[in-house]
Amino acid sequence: MPVFMVERDLKGIAMEDLAGAQRAAIAQAAEMRGAGQRIDYIRSTFAPEDGRCMCLFEGESAAQVQALNDAAGLPYARVVPALDLTP
């Protein structure tokens, strides 16, 4: 399944709020899967010094990943196709 990277600017976010955002993404992906969609949250990488956060999702399209983030109320700058190079 294709992988998409969600780019976020979360400068100044509290760690508790960051954890809540991750839980929201996971829960929304589960809800969408329950409705028959193929989508999954993979992981996030956060750079606290500059507030950049990159989240990886498997999904059918960038629009589907955007819809997940919109439904979860999560801000993002853009969603782009990505390659997950985990060994």
Side-chain angles (χ1 to χ4, degrees), residues 32-70:
M32 292 171 76
R33 281 193 312 277
Q37 295 189 50
R38 293 179 39 203
I39 191 162
D40 199 20
Y41 168 83
I42 300 172
R43 72 174 163 279
S44 296
T45 300
F46 180 61
E49 191 170 297
D50 67 3
R52 293 184 67 215
C53 187
M54 303 297 179
C55 304
L56 294 180
F57 292 83
E58 285 184 330
E60 297 174 346
S61 68
Q64 180 193 42
V65 173
Q66 288 173 334
L68 180 151
N69 283 272
D70 291 340

Side-chain angles (χ1 to χ4, degrees), residues 2-49:
V3 174
F4 297 90
M5 182 171 61
V6 177
E7 299 178 7
R8 306 182 198 282
D9 178 6
L10 302 177
K11 191 164 186 82
I13 192 169
M15 287 299 110
E16 181 178 299
D17 293 335
L18 183 61
Q22 184 180 43
R23 285 191 300 272
I26 292 167
Q28 187 60 41
E31 184 176 318
M32 292 171 76
R33 281 193 312 277
Q37 295 189 50
R38 293 179 39 203
I39 191 162
D40 199 20
Y41 168 83
I42 300 172
R43 72 174 163 279
S44 296
T45 300
F46 180 61
E49 191 170 297

